[in-house]
Amino acid sequence: QSVLTQPPSVSGAPGQRVTISCTGSSSNIGAHYDVHWYQQLPGTAPKLLLYGNNNRPSGVPDRFSGSRSGSSASLAITGLQAEDESDYYCQSYDISLNGWVFGGGTKLTVL
Amino acid sequence: VQLVESGGGLVQPGRSLRLSCTVSAFNSGDYGLSWVRQAPGKGLEWVAFIKTKSLGGTTEYAPSVKGRFTLSSDDSESIAYLQMNSLKTEDTAIYYCTAVSPHLGFDFWGQGTLVTVSS
């Protein structure tokens, strides 16, 4: 069981907007540690998608955005495209574990 | 920044294995290196972290591997080693080496190396 909780799956039609939630606790997200998001395409290594809650590395489309409130965070993807079909993971630092924690991952299906 | 893992393979339970991560260069904002693993069909799990020597070279471990795994680096910090002892079947996973930035998270990843623990 992951320290950060994500829905196992979400889906949406091309062009639609989807959101993926990430729920933590007072020892990680609630302790104001940054949330980062990773995208893992099938058979490949994870790639940094968003850092510092809502910042996009160079090359990531502005269709991807993030937010954080209290002990939770969310990833929003607008204008869904077929190539967005992937697994998405949230991550934060946990002060009680003295280490990083991941969400269990969410599989996005583009219908 | 390029990270290349090596050393994976098939090993029996209770035995040891050492993984290597060759680092081309650290990003200016990176302050260490971590290993993250992914069991077959499962999610990501952080395993271990080592700070750069300029920041003290300290290490941290996930509870699941503490006391069994040791992370170190050579003097030039161009290679990081993950020594894995007393391996268990549940250690079976793809092991990724990642660069760590305090502000960017795990900003660069290697391609991973597969470790299979089985008799």
Side-chain angles (χ1 to χ4, degrees), chain B residues 69-90:
Chain B
F69 289 13
T70 302
L71 182 52
S72 62
S73 63
D74 68 348
D75 289 343
S76 67
E77 296 189 297
S78 61
I79 305 178
Y81 301 103
L82 183 67
Q83 178 67 42
M84 305 186 294
N85 298 332
S86 303
L87 282 163
K88 307 174 181 180
T89 55
E90 52 264 41

Side-chain angles (χ1 to χ4, degrees), chain A residues 28-79:
Chain A
N28 41 68
I29 300 174
H32 304 292
Y33 287 105
D34 282 341
V35 177
H36 312 295
W37 290 89
Y38 302 87
Q39 178 189 53
Q40 185 177 31
L41 296 169
T44 68
K47 181 190 86 167
L48 180 64
L49 183 68
L50 294 177
Y51 66 91
N53 307 311
N54 187 25
N55 296 285
R56 288 174 284 108
S58 174
V60 174
D62 59 5
R63 301 185 295 104
F64 295 88
S65 63
S67 64
R68 183 184 74 179
S69 178
S71 297
S72 296
S74 65
L75 167 69
I77 310 172
T78 59

Side-chain angles (χ1 to χ4, degrees), chain A residues 5-24:
Chain A
T5 301
Q6 296 179 235
S9 64
V10 298
S11 63
Q16 284 189 333
R17 177 181 187 270
V18 296
T19 60
I20 298 173
S21 61
C22 174
T23 303

Side-chain angles (χ1 to χ4, degrees), chain A residues 38 40 45-46 48 51 89 91, chain B residues 38 96 103-106 109-110:
Chain A
Y38 302 87
Q40 185 177 31
L48 180 64
Y51 66 91
Y89 295 89
Q91 179 207 38
Chain B
Q38 186 170 35
Y96 296 102
H103 304 295
L104 305 182
F106 292 12
W109 297 64

